[in-house]
């Protein structure tokens, strides 16, 4: 039933509108690469998937695709909606993975390198795939937290499984790991293929993008930075 102002009631609204209202009321940003899991209530993710499915069906219709008789596209809207919310963009809609942190009992203070970790995302501009590898350098101190090797991959996957811009993705990953580990320094390097260049536009299949983020001692100490970069370069060649 409509309200006195002829606006749909909360229960009549699309689920995306209800979620958006909560986010705006909290004054929180909800860009493509932000996580909004805290604003999604129980059962709403399934409703959101159904809403996205309906809108994707309308896109196919506007592309003049006969989804009624074309057996290849009859379930495309359903498949793509499920893929977006539960797979390639699930980092927007799911809470961060549980990560057990251990104190640095032995007082480790030597460079640790993790990688290459394979990452997958999609560019915010065209929703085309981004496929790449990430190297992480950590300089712990006696107060740092330590996490298992697989947890680096899980945290990266959570950040990357959103519509992303590579430069922002690496910065987000660095912020998250700095928060979790509390190290003296952190370095991240990412090298990736962007299918928005391979598949469209200039259609250059050889170009890659490489960018890095240096925090703490990696930013202050050029010798440490050179050691990290030299070791991952050696690993790439070997």
């Amino acid at each position: 039933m409509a309200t006195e102002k002829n606006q749909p009631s909360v229960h009549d609204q699309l689920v995306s509108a209800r979620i958006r209202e909560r986010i705006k009321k909290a004054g929180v940003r909800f860009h493509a690469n932000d996580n909004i899991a805290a604003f999604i209530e129980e059962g709403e993710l399934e409703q959101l998937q159904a809403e996205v499915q309906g809108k994707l069906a309308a896109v196919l219709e506007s592309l003049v695709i006969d989804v009624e008789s074309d057996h290849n596209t009859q379930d495309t809207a359903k498949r793509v909606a499920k893929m977006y919310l539960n797979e390639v963009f699930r980092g927007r809609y799911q809470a961060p993975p549980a990560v057990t942190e251990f104190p640095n009992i032995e007082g480790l203070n030597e460079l640790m390198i993790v990688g290459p970790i394979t990452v997958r995302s999609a560019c915010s501009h065209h929703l085309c795939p981004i496929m790449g590898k990430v190297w992480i350098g950590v300089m712990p101190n006696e107060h740092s937290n330590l996490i298992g090797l697989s947890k680096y991959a899980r945290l990266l996957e959570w950040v990357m499984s959103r519509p992303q811009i590579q430069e922002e993705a690496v910065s987000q990953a660095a912020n998250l790991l700095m928060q979790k580990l509390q190290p003296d320094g952190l370095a991240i390097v990412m090298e990736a293929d962007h299918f928005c260049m391979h598949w469209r536009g200039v259609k250059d299949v050889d170009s890659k993008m490489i960018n890095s983020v240096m925090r703490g001692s990696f930013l202050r100490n050029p010798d440490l930075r050179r050691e990290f970069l030299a070791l991952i370069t050696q690993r790439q060649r070997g």
Side-chain angles (χ1 to χ4, degrees), residues 122-192:
C123 75
S124 302
H125 296 161
H126 297 96
L127 302 186
C128 289
I130 299 172
M131 309 287 287
K133 295 186 181 298
V134 170
W135 289 261
I136 300 169
V138 179
M139 179 57 73
N141 59 48
E142 66 273 19
H143 304 298
S144 296
N145 298 318
L146 303 177
I147 63 175
L149 186 62
S150 66
K151 303 306 186 292
Y152 288 95
R154 291 186 183 184
L155 290 170
L156 276 176
E157 193 273 339
W158 183 67
V159 170
M160 296 302 299
S161 57
R162 311 168 192 175
Q164 282 284 11
I165 299 301
Q166 183 172 333
E167 305 93 308
E168 295 178 0
V170 173
S171 181
Q172 282 188 329
N175 291 341
L176 179 61
L177 289 172
M178 286 293 290
Q179 177 187 353
K180 293 287 184 184
L181 302 175
Q182 298 294 313
D184 267 357
L186 180 80
I188 299 181
V189 171
M190 179 174 174
E191 178 183 70

Side-chain angles (χ1 to χ4, degrees), residues 192-204:
D193 291 301
H194 289 246
F195 282 69
C196 57
M197 287 187 65
H198 296 351
W199 198 18
R200 57 162 299 281
V202 297
K203 298 180 181 177
D204 184 342

Side-chain angles (χ1 to χ4, degrees), residues 4-135:
E4 294 181 359
K5 295 182 180 180
N6 295 320
Q7 296 295 323
S9 69
V10 171
H11 296 293
D12 291 333
Q13 286 179 330
L14 294 172
V15 65
S16 62
R18 298 201 302 269
I19 296 169
R20 188 179 294 107
E21 280 190 6
R22 290 183 204 125
I23 297 172
K24 287 185 173 181
K25 186 175 181 180
V28 175
R29 198 184 81 165
F30 56 105
H31 290 184
N33 60 355
D34 290 326
N35 179 273
I36 60 171
F39 301 95
I40 300 175
E41 297 180 356
E42 185 177 356
E44 287 187 333
L45 197 58
E46 292 79 8
Q47 297 173 39
L48 189 60
Q49 182 177 319
E51 179 184 330
V52 172
Q53 177 180 335
K55 293 187 175 182
L56 284 168
V59 169
L60 294 173
E61 182 178 352
S62 293
L63 290 171
V64 198
I65 296 175
D66 184 0
V67 296
E68 293 183 2
S69 61
D70 180 2
H71 61 282
N72 290 318
T73 57
Q74 285 175 351
D75 291 321
T76 294
K78 179 179 180 180
R79 286 190 293 262
V80 174
K82 181 179 179 181
M83 177 185 72
Y84 278 167
L85 271 71
N86 297 302
E87 296 179 78
V88 295
F89 298 152
R90 67 179 181 175
R92 276 183 57 73
Y93 307 105
Q94 296 185 5
V99 175
T100 302
E101 301 162 18
F102 303 96
N104 186 7
I105 298 297
E106 299 297 327
L108 301 175
N109 62 353
E110 300 291 340
L111 172 62
M112 300 187 301
I113 297 178
V114 181
I117 299 171
T118 299
V119 292
R120 303 165 184 85
S121 189
C123 75
S124 302
H125 296 161
H126 297 96
L127 302 186
C128 289
I130 299 172
M131 309 287 287
K133 295 186 181 298
V134 170
W135 289 261

